[in-house]
Amino acid sequence: MRSEMLTSILNDLNGTSAEIEASAVISTDGLVIDALLPAGMDEDRVGAMSAAMLSLGERTSQELARGELEQVLVKGKEGYILMTHANQESVLTVVAKTNARLGLIFLDVKRAADAIGKIL
């Protein structure tokens, strides 16, 4: 039941914008809880890298006195990766295209993360 609810949230998130290519719910230790990833995108790698980036982002935010970490945004030549906490033990990772309207995606990701946090 919980898995179905998470899959539904990820489906809704991916459906809100054609600019979102993938999404995943990952534990803070890097285990994939649920994911909607395209073929060729390795779940285990996404999980491990998301956990590592989130950990580094938290440390950086603390060390540079920026307060509690809200999100990590990575911009590459081919698009964006956005990571945000769903709760203390999980993170929502979203992969978006280069033409993504980030303001709308931030809003949709925040809503999805809140819903995921309530389930987990």
Side-chain angles (χ1 to χ4, degrees):
M1 172 107 170
R2 183 177 87 162
S3 178
E4 293 168 0
M5 293 170 72
L6 291 174
T7 300
S8 175
I9 292 168
L10 294 180
N11 273 321
D12 289 347
L13 176 60
N14 287 15
T16 60
S17 171
E19 298 156 351
I20 295 176
E21 297 179 301
S23 59
V25 180
I26 300 161
S27 69
T28 52
D29 58 358
L31 300 174
V32 176
I33 298 168
D34 200 355
L36 291 177
L37 305 175
M41 195 176 283
D42 185 336
E43 271 190 17
D44 293 334
R45 277 189 180 205
V46 171
M49 288 186 288
S50 293
M53 287 296 298
L54 192 69
S55 177
L56 183 59
E58 287 173 341
R59 175 94 189 254
T60 303
S61 185
Q62 289 172 359
E63 292 293 325
L64 299 178
R66 299 295 98 190
E68 186 177 338
L69 180 71
E70 291 186 17
Q71 58 190 218
V72 174
L73 176 67
V74 177
K75 181 181 179 190
K77 209 170 201 174
E78 302 300 321
Y80 300 93
I81 302 105
L82 174 65
M83 291 160 267
T84 189
H85 279 286
N87 62 20
Q88 292 286 44
E89 295 87 33
S90 64
V91 61
L92 174 59
T93 298
V94 173
V95 178
K97 296 178 181 177
T98 55
N99 63 337
R101 293 169 291 181
L102 290 178
L104 293 174
I105 289 178
F106 287 157
L107 180 62
D108 292 337
V109 167
K110 172 90 170 98
R111 288 180 183 155
D114 289 346
I116 291 165
K118 290 175 185 171
I119 293 171
L120 298 178

